[in-house]
Amino acid sequence: MADRSMPSSFDEDKEYNETGAQKLGRKLREEPLIPLGCILTTLALYNAWRATRRGDHAQVQRMFRARIGAQAFTVMAMVAGGAYYGADREKRKELIKLEAQQRAEERHHKWLKELEVRDEEEKQLKAAIKRRQDRVQQRRINEQERQAAGEAKEDGLKAETTSDADGQALPQEKKEASSVLGALSNVGGWFGTKKSESPKPAEEKKSEADSPKK
């Protein structure tokens, strides 16, 4: 979201944004007689001070009278300016108020538009974040499925290898059992032949013993 400042209704208001020097210049242009009276009063006082240092009492009295006249002129200029510019000032104030209201409405519309733009940018940002999270989640699910398929394949291969091993072990066990049985039969046969061969000399001895008696 862009880092922009909110619009204000005072951004283009000249009276609100004017400096002290600009305000003084505007007042001087509107009522130039007032500063003229102030300048005359200052000159009268300065000349009275110089006459006092010279000791010219008559000049001092004249300068004091001139100072009073300059002050009176300043006051009259202020009253006349107030009366003359009063209606214009009221009209100007009303005009300024109307212009300020109009500018305030324009600024308000711009402010609302700016809020809408920022809301739209925030929605787009949230949607982008959500899409990214969905992609990450889908990627994790795919990896888990891939891992599960690999594990299932490994289990199948292990089962096949164990079944093959069992199939190969059974004939070998049968061979071992047959060899053991063959060995036992050989041993039994060997013992059987010995027993059958041992009685033969006894029978021969008996026949030999019976033959002299006859």
Side-chain angles (χ1 to χ4, degrees):
M1 188 167 55
D3 188 8
R4 296 189 295 271
S5 61
M6 290 292 181
S8 174
S9 60
F10 297 104
D11 290 343
E12 296 179 357
D13 193 349
K14 295 180 180 179
E15 288 192 353
Y16 182 80
N17 293 320
E18 67 181 359
T19 61
Q22 292 174 350
K23 188 174 182 179
L24 180 62
R26 180 171 60 82
K27 292 290 185 181
L28 290 175
R29 287 192 301 273
E30 289 179 355
E31 298 179 1
L33 297 178
I34 294 175
L36 179 60
C38 294
I39 292 170
L40 292 175
T41 303
T42 305
L43 288 174
L45 289 173
Y46 178 70
N47 289 328
W49 174 72
R50 289 182 64 187
T52 303
R53 292 191 65 180
R54 289 197 307 266
D56 190 356
H57 298 287
Q59 184 69 18
V60 171
Q61 293 298 324
R62 283 194 297 271
M63 288 300 104
F64 277 129
R65 293 188 185 98
R67 188 260 307 173
I68 294 170
Q71 286 180 346
F73 174 78
T74 305
V75 173
M76 289 176 63
M78 291 174 65
V79 174
Y84 180 76
Y85 290 107
D88 291 339
R89 284 174 182 172
E90 293 296 329
K91 290 179 181 179
R92 190 168 178 273
K93 285 181 180 179
E94 291 178 0
L95 182 60
I96 290 172
K97 191 180 290 186
L98 291 174
E99 290 177 354
Q101 289 178 357
Q102 186 177 0
R103 286 196 300 269
E105 289 178 359
E106 291 177 357
R107 287 292 174 181
H108 183 67
H109 289 304
K110 289 182 181 179
W111 183 67
L112 291 176
K113 195 171 183 179
E114 181 72 17
L115 287 178
E116 290 176 359
V117 171
R118 292 193 178 192
D119 289 339
E120 188 67 25
E121 289 178 356
E122 189 174 357
K123 287 179 182 178
Q124 291 177 0
L125 181 61
K126 287 181 179 179
I129 292 172
K130 190 175 184 302
R131 287 195 299 270
R132 186 176 180 182
Q133 290 176 353
D134 292 340
R135 285 197 298 269
V136 172
Q137 190 70 21
Q138 187 65 31
R139 196 178 301 162
R140 288 179 181 174
I141 292 170
N142 293 333
E143 288 178 358
Q144 290 177 359
E145 290 178 354
R146 229 180 276 120
Q147 188 176 1
E151 290 177 355
K153 191 180 289 184
E154 289 179 359
D155 293 338
L157 291 174
K158 286 181 181 178
E160 289 178 0
T161 51
T162 52
S163 63
D164 293 338
D166 292 339
Q168 292 176 1
L170 286 173
Q172 189 174 359
E173 288 178 357
K174 287 180 180 180
K175 288 180 181 179
E176 290 178 357
S178 62
S179 62
V180 170
L181 290 173
L184 289 175
S185 64
N186 291 330
V187 172
W190 183 73
F191 281 110
T193 53
K194 288 290 182 178
K195 286 181 180 179
S196 63
E197 289 176 359
S198 59
K200 287 181 180 180
E203 291 178 357
E204 290 177 358
K205 287 180 180 180
K206 188 174 181 181
S207 63
E208 289 176 0
D210 290 338
S211 60
K213 288 181 181 180
K214 292 178 178 179

